[in-house]
Amino acid sequence: MPIAQLAETEALSDSSKSKTFVFKDEGHTLGNALRCVISSYPDVQFCGYTVPHPAEAKMHFRIQMHKGKAVDALKRGLEDLVNVCDITLEKFENELQNL
Amino acid sequence: MELNDEKPRVILNEYKVTQNLPTGPTILDEQFTIRNFKRKCRIVIVRNENFEMEFDWIGIHPFLANTFRRLMLSEVPSMAIDKVHIHNNTSIIQDEVLAHRLGLIPLKADPTLFEYKSDASAEGTEPDTLEFELKIKCSYNKETSKRDSSRAEDMYKNNNVYSKHIKWVPIGNQKERFKDSDVGPIEPDILIAKMRPGHELDLKLFAVKSCGKDHAKFSPVATAFYRLLPDIKIVREVEGDDAYRLQKCFSPGVIGVRQDKNGKKVAVVNNARYDTGSRNVYRYDDLKDAVVMSKIQDHFIFTIESVGAMQPADIFKEAVKLLRDKCASLLEELNSS
């Protein structure tokens, strides 16, 4: 299973506001979806992702907040994606049954 | 232009692509929220037969469309031959080329009934591996009636090796769990090798479960793609021969010619859905101001062509579940740390 890890970031005044997360075995599929969701939150100042090297199965995910904790934005983003999947599945199943 | 309705559109001009000014905020300028998504997103299945499916997904952000396309292509698992033990190969096709060809044969086997193999070098076991056998020998055809023929298929027996020659060898309890018709190559007539008398193949094949990220042969779809819904508007009357000329500029069925009340033949848009978006109208100076071609930016037409092991609807559902599980497990990990 992929693991979300906290990468070492420069010790700024408040490091919980800005963080880079490293996702193992993830790439553009999750990276872009998550980025699009999280960057639309009003408290988020910056959100971006990169796959530093194509041969390495790693994805770096950066969140910088105006206020609040970066981890909370990430959690909220993942929750939203889970909800998106549930809604999609429900709508798709409904449509299949009505066919 | 009169295209400023409520929909976000890209307008296909002669040399450039522009955007319209929608009358209200669209999904593209709105913030992504679950409430908005639930309210606006709509799925309409258009076609679902013979392992091909087309459905419209309306009112979503482009990133979602792309995420699910990527998931279907490279993360939904399927079964494929991964290891070949070559006991004998006296045909002219080299061992490694033969093994590669065998790997690409689509297999009929429900991947949800199998597990991922944890150790690639270990011997295959009942829950994670399907074993097959390919044993075939080419010989002269002794049948007297065909003696004079010089066609290869009359002169020799087994000169062509097809996927139908692959025989399933059940491991452990697999005989009870699967029927003979549940497992094996999807197509019986895939040519694997050509042989001549004296040539022989004796192979053991091992199929495992994996996903397209690992190797394209594990991808459950022949192709899965989406496109934006095309829309064509005729903005001034086009009549007579010009109408037929306009019709020819687009894909068949897109533009129709109708007779109006005064008996004039007038061009109308029948169905813009299957237009290819070619800009042939711009070759005619007198016609190019008559139409406005556009694409609707929040209306995605998904086409899923399954290889044949799973129904396209199941592939899509599997992709959605995959993303769900992935996010849920990451979330759990974050919450527990």
Side-chain angles (χ1 to χ4, degrees):
Chain A
M1 267 287 113
I3 302 164
Q5 283 186 336
L6 308 181
E8 293 302 312
T9 45
E10 65 280 19
L12 284 168
S13 51
D14 187 4
S15 67
S16 70
K17 262 170 98 176
S18 307
K19 276 230 153 70
T20 304
F21 302 91
V22 181
F23 289 73
K24 276 187 190 158
D25 293 321
E26 292 298 342
H28 298 279
T29 309
L30 184 74
N32 187 48
L34 207 53
R35 192 213 85 209
C36 290
V37 173
I38 293 177
S39 55
S40 73
Y41 298 154
D43 287 345
V44 174
Q45 179 195 37
F46 171 83
C47 180
Y49 81 97
T50 174
V51 178
H53 195 282
E56 247 186 328
K58 266 185 193 166
M59 190 257 296
H60 287 195
F61 198 90
R62 174 88 177 157
I63 303 172
Q64 288 173 211
M65 305 288 286
H66 285 300
K67 61 168 194 264
K69 281 161 89 178
V71 195
D72 293 337
L74 182 62
K75 281 181 189 167
R76 188 174 154 203
L78 288 167
E79 272 162 25
D80 274 359
L81 274 184
V82 169
N83 288 331
V84 163
C85 291
D86 288 339
I87 295 166
T88 304
L89 212 54
E90 191 193 310
K91 292 201 178 189
F92 190 77
E93 298 266 19
N94 271 342
E95 186 57 28
L96 261 186
Q97 252 129 53
N98 299 337
L99 208 64
Chain B
M1 223 173 282
E2 43 269 68
L3 276 180
N4 289 338
D5 53 1
E6 75 288 353
K7 289 176 179 148
R9 295 166 188 269
V10 275
I11 300 162
L12 309 177
N13 295 299
E14 189 171 1
Y15 296 114
K16 62 179 179 193
V17 171
T18 53
Q19 260 161 319
N20 72 333
L21 286 168
T23 47
T26 66
I27 190 104
L28 297 172
D29 358 85
E30 243 164 47
Q31 221 194 68
F32 175 86
T33 58
I34 289 297
R35 265 191 49 227
N36 271 342
F37 175 78
K38 193 165 186 179
R39 208 180 34 165
K40 295 217 168 151
C41 145
R42 210 149 58 79
I43 293 175
V44 182
I45 295 172
V46 175
R47 184 157 61 87
N48 185 14
E49 83 270 307
N50 290 331
F51 292 106
E52 255 189 74
M53 174 179 225
E54 186 175 308
F55 67 88
D56 287 22
W57 199 355
I58 307 153
I60 56 162
H61 281 80
F63 76 86
L64 280 174
N66 195 41
T67 301
F68 289 112
R69 180 193 64 86
R70 287 180 64 99
L71 281 163
M72 283 188 281
L73 284 169
S74 65
E75 274 173 68
V76 176
S78 77
M79 302 284 288
I81 292 166
D82 193 44
K83 276 210 163 61
V84 179
H85 290 180
I86 296 177
H87 298 293
N88 195 6
N89 172 21
T90 49
S91 75
I92 50 151
I93 187 164
Q94 296 94 326
D95 292 357
E96 65 275 23
V97 180
L98 182 65
H100 179 245
R101 287 178 72 79
L102 289 163
L104 297 175
I105 295 171
L107 291 184
K108 188 165 49 184
D110 188 349
T112 53
L113 301 175
F114 291 89
E115 286 165 20
Y116 284 104
K117 209 171 153 192
S118 47
D119 178 11
S121 56
E123 205 156 296
T125 54
E126 190 192 321
D128 60 30
T129 305
L130 275 173
E131 191 180 329
F132 298 94
E133 191 178 57
L134 181 56
K135 235 179 182 165
I136 195 166
K137 201 171 181 175
C138 180
S139 58
Y140 284 103
N141 193 353
K142 297 273 163 36
E143 234 177 284
T144 43
S145 62
K146 306 261 177 80
R147 184 139 295 169
D148 306 330
S149 171
S150 57
R151 295 165 70 213
E153 50 267 46
D154 292 337
M155 287 158 74
Y156 317 120
K157 260 187 182 159
N158 292 333
N159 59 315
N160 287 343
V161 183
Y162 292 107
S163 51
K164 66 179 170 217
H165 295 126
I166 295 175
K167 288 277 161 306
W168 174 45
V169 185
I171 309 174
N173 237 355
Q174 282 179 350
K175 189 119 211 164
E176 279 89 68
R177 287 175 60 206
F178 306 104
K179 286 196 293 284
D180 242 0
S181 54
D182 291 339
V183 285
I186 291 161
E187 302 291 335
D189 53 356
I190 300 171
L191 184 64
I192 296 168
K194 292 204 164 199
M195 303 203 291
R196 284 296 175 266
H199 290 180
E200 190 181 347
L201 286 180
D202 183 1
L203 317 168
K204 277 237 157 30
L205 321 166
F206 300 93
V208 296
K209 176 176 167 177
S210 188
C211 61
K213 227 173 9 179
D214 179 22
H215 191 291
K217 69 186 174 188
F218 291 113
S219 189
V221 289
T223 180
F225 64 92
Y226 60 84
R227 62 197 177 94
L228 298 177
L229 179 74
D231 187 46
I232 296 167
K233 284 210 160 71
I234 297 181
V235 291
R236 69 163 167 82
E237 199 175 74
V238 181
E239 53 168 316
D241 285 347
D242 288 350
Y244 289 103
R245 200 146 48 91
L246 187 75
Q247 190 177 34
K248 277 194 172 168
C249 292
F250 295 92
S251 305
V254 172
I255 303 287
V257 179
R258 290 223 190 103
Q259 211 144 21
D260 73 355
K261 278 170 276 170
N262 311 325
K264 267 192 299 185
K265 300 228 169 177
V266 189
V268 289
V269 179
N270 266 350
N271 181 10
R273 186 183 170 91
Y274 295 105
D275 185 50
T276 56
S278 88
R279 278 171 248 190
N280 278 339
V281 248
Y282 293 114
R283 294 193 298 157
Y284 303 109
D285 283 331
D286 56 326
L287 286 181
K288 62 181 165 194
D289 59 330
V291 286
V292 179
M293 295 160 69
S294 65
K295 288 182 182 227
I296 295 163
Q297 284 181 287
D298 63 352
H299 189 136
F300 296 89
I301 301 171
F302 268 78
T303 310
I304 306 170
E305 291 175 24
S306 166
V307 144
M310 285 166 93
Q311 283 298 330
D314 294 334
I315 296 174
F316 182 73
K317 281 193 269 181
E318 203 61 36
V320 179
K321 282 181 205 154
L322 227 61
L323 183 67
R324 205 209 105 93
D325 293 349
K326 199 183 273 203
C327 292
S329 72
L330 284 167
L331 201 59
E332 201 179 310
E333 203 167 325
L334 276 177
N335 284 332
S336 64
S337 65

